Amino acid sequence: MTVLKLSLMAFSFVFWAAGLTMLMVGLWAKVRLGSYLALSASDSPGAPAILLATGTAVIVWAFLGCFGAATEHRGLLRSYGAFLAAVLLAAMAAGLSALLYRQDIARGFRVGLRRALSAYGEDDGRADALDALQRSLGCCGVESYRDWLHYNGSVPLSCCRARRGCWLSSAGEHGLHREGCFGKVSAFVSSNMFCVATAALGLAVLQVVGVVLACLMAARVPARAAAPH
């Protein structure tokens, strides 16, 4: 019983660390990637919000699981096992979705980038997000800088390599990022979605261990006797 209790407490600590990591990544994504995600035309919920909510729930339940193991509280251990089973299903769904829908995510960015280009002078929020994306990735337009010529007739300063600006002439482009942003965003999504899926499925395997430990300990803890009247 002591070995089982220590094993569950050690697992809860690892689970708590995973929740803290998700919370920190969610905060980072909310601050640093929020404007980029605003460019996507996808209707899926925001990844930063999901990470923040999941990380918070994991931290709370990991503490309760550790407390239930330490005090040998049967009801709390059963609830902890049920929560771990729910996280197991959610992690499997997230991992499979990352693999199956990565092309849809990329297409959502393509549509969103085109909308941002067409409304560049009307929507300041999307314009700022698009400028930030072009500066950070060193890209211009959706497929190439020529998209700007089609929608606006000129390129913004965020397409230029230097702060002093750039220009187009019959001789060619001078100081201009020529590659489109969609290709870079698509490559980023494709290369990182596999890592996200692997991490989510790895978390699911970890939950199997937690569910087994919680259920075994709950089964071995004797039911509390009813208080005498």
Side-chain angles (χ1 to χ4, degrees):
M1 186 68 164
T2 302
V3 175
L4 188 59
K5 179 192 296 188
L6 292 176
S7 298
L8 185 56
M9 291 177 68
F11 168 82
S12 297
F13 176 77
V14 174
F15 194 45
W16 176 87
L20 183 61
T21 301
M22 283 189 285
L23 186 62
M24 293 176 64
V25 172
L27 288 172
W28 174 83
K30 185 72 174 177
V31 174
R32 296 295 302 273
L33 303 180
S35 59
Y36 297 164
L37 295 175
L39 292 172
S40 176
S42 175
D43 295 329
S44 59
I50 294 175
L51 286 172
L52 288 171
T54 305
T56 302
V58 166
I59 288 174
V60 173
W61 274 100
F63 174 77
L64 293 177
C66 188
F67 178 78
T71 59
E72 299 183 4
H73 194 290
R74 191 176 187 182
L76 192 54
L77 288 171
R78 287 179 173 177
S79 299
Y80 187 44
F83 175 76
L84 290 175
V87 173
L88 165 64
L89 296 176
M92 291 182 63
L96 293 176
S97 297
L99 289 175
L100 297 176
Y101 296 105
R102 61 184 184 275
Q103 296 300 326
D104 292 338
I105 295 173
R107 280 193 293 269
F109 267 104
R110 171 179 274 166
V111 174
L113 287 171
R114 291 193 181 279
R115 290 178 182 174
L117 256 72
S118 62
Y120 185 75
E122 303 169 1
D123 191 332
D124 291 338
R126 286 192 176 184
D128 292 341
L130 183 56
D131 285 335
L133 179 70
Q134 291 185 147
R135 289 192 186 97
S136 62
L137 296 184
C139 57
C140 185
V142 182
E143 307 296 341
S144 73
Y145 71 92
R146 293 184 178 87
D147 294 321
W148 281 106
L149 303 180
H150 173 72
Y151 284 102
N152 295 76
S154 61
V155 297
L157 286 175
S158 57
C159 283
C160 302
R161 299 179 186 273
R163 290 183 179 273
R164 63 177 179 272
C166 50
W167 64 93
L168 297 173
S169 65
S170 58
E173 314 87 28
H174 302 273
L176 183 70
H177 294 299
R178 304 174 66 180
E179 187 177 354
C181 293
F182 174 72
K184 293 194 173 184
V185 171
S186 180
F188 175 82
V189 170
S190 299
S191 62
N192 285 274
M193 275 301 169
F194 180 77
C195 298
V196 171
T198 303
L201 294 176
L203 181 62
V205 173
L206 180 65
Q207 302 319 302
V208 174
V209 177
V211 170
V212 171
L213 290 174
C215 291
L216 284 176
M217 188 167 181
R220 294 191 180 186
V221 172
R224 297 179 184 272
H229 297 284

